[in-house]
Amino acid sequence: MEYRTLGNTNLEVSVITHGAFAIGGNMWGGNEKQDSINSIHASLDHGVTSIDTAPFYGFGLSEEMIGEAIKGRDRSKIQILTKFGLVWDGSNHGKGEFFFDAEENGQKIPVYKYASRQSIIKEVEESLQRLGTDYIDLLQIHWPDGTTPISETMEALDLLIQQGKIRAAGVSNYSIEQIQEANKTLKIASNQVSYSMLNQAIEQDLVPYSLENNSGIIVYSPMERGLLTGKYFKETQLKDNDHRNGYFSQFDLQKVKTFLEKIEPIAQEKGATLSQLVLRWTSLQPAITVVLAGARNAQQAIENAKAMSFGLSEEEMNLINTALKEI
């Protein structure tokens, strides 16, 4: 495994970081608890020291399972990255910005973006309890909240740093303008954003900005929720309540299939899977500090970790990039 310093902090994180969205269950068709815990154990045992989660993932379930999985482990060797700012339990009393209706057990649950000072402090206490720890390594706002001044949100994060409850503060899904506004109050460590072979929009602005300002980039959905594994084209039958049924419709699936067939020989030469090749390519892109990779079980977690076990030559990168242009 390779480790990198996150932005302007002294926080060392594993390049492949365990993304714990899917193990929360909601929106992913569910997952077995023991499989989820085993996936975290396998990640930690194979050099993946960082875990990214959020209260929203499973409405607290993801954080709870992480807390259970790391119990008895050396906490100083694990980096917990979690979030705040999506609330669903009515504690915001109608404040904030309506985001969408989530669904659990057939019931609609309104989710709001809400990042007031009081709400952040409350959320952090709840996260610490679920995670079974007394500090969070990186706390990130999950989505921008247009109803709360960014300065108020950053002041709350600064207070939490001073109190020792968080080591560093980051943002997620922020624009350059929002990052600049945040930095007026508190120098943020990173921005967590969507990025993949099929979605390279951040290369236009966020990548050059981050390189110039020594800010980290954490990328989610590098596998486009499993599409770039190639399994979707061979054997996978998604459950009816899996959100990916709609998500995949945005892509030209025939072109994606052709692209994967073109690059698969590179993976085979490395003794690697398509998933590992995609993760490795992503890790080598400019300004990318961390690549989030989800795992529902131990085997998937081990495969993700092994994505860093090989290199890619300039020629191989060029072959991949040339094939990408045809999508």
Side-chain angles (χ1 to χ4, degrees):
M1 183 53 59
E2 184 180 328
Y3 305 91
R4 295 174 183 166
T5 302
L6 188 65
N8 63 325
T9 73
N10 59 3
L11 186 62
E12 292 285 323
V13 289
S14 54
V15 173
I16 300 296
T17 286
H18 186 110
F21 187 2
I23 68 171
N26 61 332
M27 297 176 67
W28 289 83
N31 204 52
E32 291 294 328
K33 178 181 178 181
Q34 195 56 52
D35 282 345
S36 298
I37 291 174
N38 288 346
S39 74
I40 297 167
H41 287 163
S43 288
L44 295 172
D45 291 341
H46 287 80
V48 174
T49 59
S50 309
I51 307 168
D52 181 86
T53 184
F56 171 69
Y57 301 162
F59 301 110
L61 181 61
S62 177
E63 287 187 330
E64 287 175 3
M65 285 194 290
I66 290 167
E68 186 172 338
I70 66 173
K71 195 176 295 182
R73 299 262 179 164
D74 185 345
R75 176 69 180 85
S76 67
K77 294 182 179 177
I78 300 169
Q79 302 84 50
I80 294 177
L81 289 51
T82 193
K83 307 179 188 75
F84 68 90
L86 290 188
V87 297
W88 65 89
D89 59 1
S91 62
N92 58 330
H93 304 296
K95 297 177 183 177
E97 180 181 348
F98 177 74
F99 194 15
F100 69 104
D101 283 318
E103 190 172 312
E104 185 178 42
N105 300 324
Q107 291 186 321
K108 285 187 176 180
I109 302 176
V111 178
Y112 289 80
K113 302 173 186 176
Y114 189 48
S116 72
R117 180 183 186 278
Q118 183 178 6
S119 185
I120 293 167
I121 291 170
K122 176 180 180 292
E123 280 202 72
V124 166
E125 292 303 323
E126 291 170 347
S127 288
L128 290 171
Q129 185 172 10
R130 286 191 289 257
L131 291 162
T133 186
D134 57 2
Y135 71 96
I136 291 162
D137 295 275
L138 178 71
L139 184 66
Q140 310 154 92
I141 181 170
H142 206 149
W143 284 89
D145 166 24
T147 69
T148 302
I150 289 175
S151 58
E152 178 182 340
T153 300
M154 295 302 129
E155 285 168 4
L157 291 173
D158 192 23
L159 175 62
L160 289 166
I161 290 173
Q162 292 174 35
Q163 292 175 339
K165 292 184 178 179
I166 68 175
R167 291 179 62 192
V171 297
S172 185
N173 302 300
Y174 258 38
S175 68
I176 298 297
E177 292 72 26
Q178 289 166 330
I179 293 171
Q180 290 171 328
E181 183 63 29
N183 281 335
K184 291 177 183 178
T185 305
L186 176 67
K187 179 69 174 175
I188 62 164
S190 56
N191 189 10
Q192 183 174 144
V193 291
S194 176
Y195 178 77
S196 75
M197 288 176 159
L198 305 180
N199 171 23
Q200 300 179 44
I202 65 167
E203 293 179 1
Q204 300 302 312
D205 53 9
L206 181 60
V207 166
Y209 176 87
S210 298
L211 288 171
E212 185 177 342
N213 292 275
N214 189 26
S215 183
I217 298 179
I218 299 171
V219 298
Y220 65 84
S221 294
M223 303 302 305
E224 286 297 354
R225 310 187 192 189
L227 182 62
L228 292 174
T229 66
K231 295 176 184 176
Y232 176 79
F233 300 106
K234 297 176 182 177
E235 65 214 30
T236 301
Q237 182 68 44
L238 299 178
K239 295 180 181 179
D240 290 342
N241 64 340
D242 195 313
H243 73 286
R244 292 174 291 178
N245 285 302
Y247 183 81
F248 289 166
S249 65
Q250 69 181 290
F251 303 109
D252 185 326
L253 295 178
Q254 184 55 52
K255 286 187 176 181
V256 173
K257 182 174 183 289
T258 300
F259 164 71
L260 293 175
E261 288 169 351
K262 286 181 179 178
I263 68 169
E264 191 161 23
I266 299 174
Q268 291 171 345
E269 280 185 18
K270 306 287 182 182
T273 64
L274 264 176
S275 301
Q276 290 166 335
L277 179 63
V278 172
L279 291 174
R280 191 66 176 115
W281 176 92
T282 308
S283 76
L284 292 169
Q285 300 310 300
I288 304 302
T289 313
V290 165
V291 181
L292 299 184
R296 289 172 173 265
N297 54 52
Q299 186 56 42
Q300 289 177 359
I302 293 168
E303 287 181 6
N304 289 342
K306 289 183 176 178
M308 297 299 292
S309 65
F310 60 91
L312 289 171
S313 68
E314 184 178 347
E315 181 183 1
E316 288 165 337
M317 291 290 283
N318 287 338
L319 284 170
I320 295 169
N321 292 336
T322 299
L324 265 177
K325 291 174 182 176
E326 297 176 10
I327 296 181

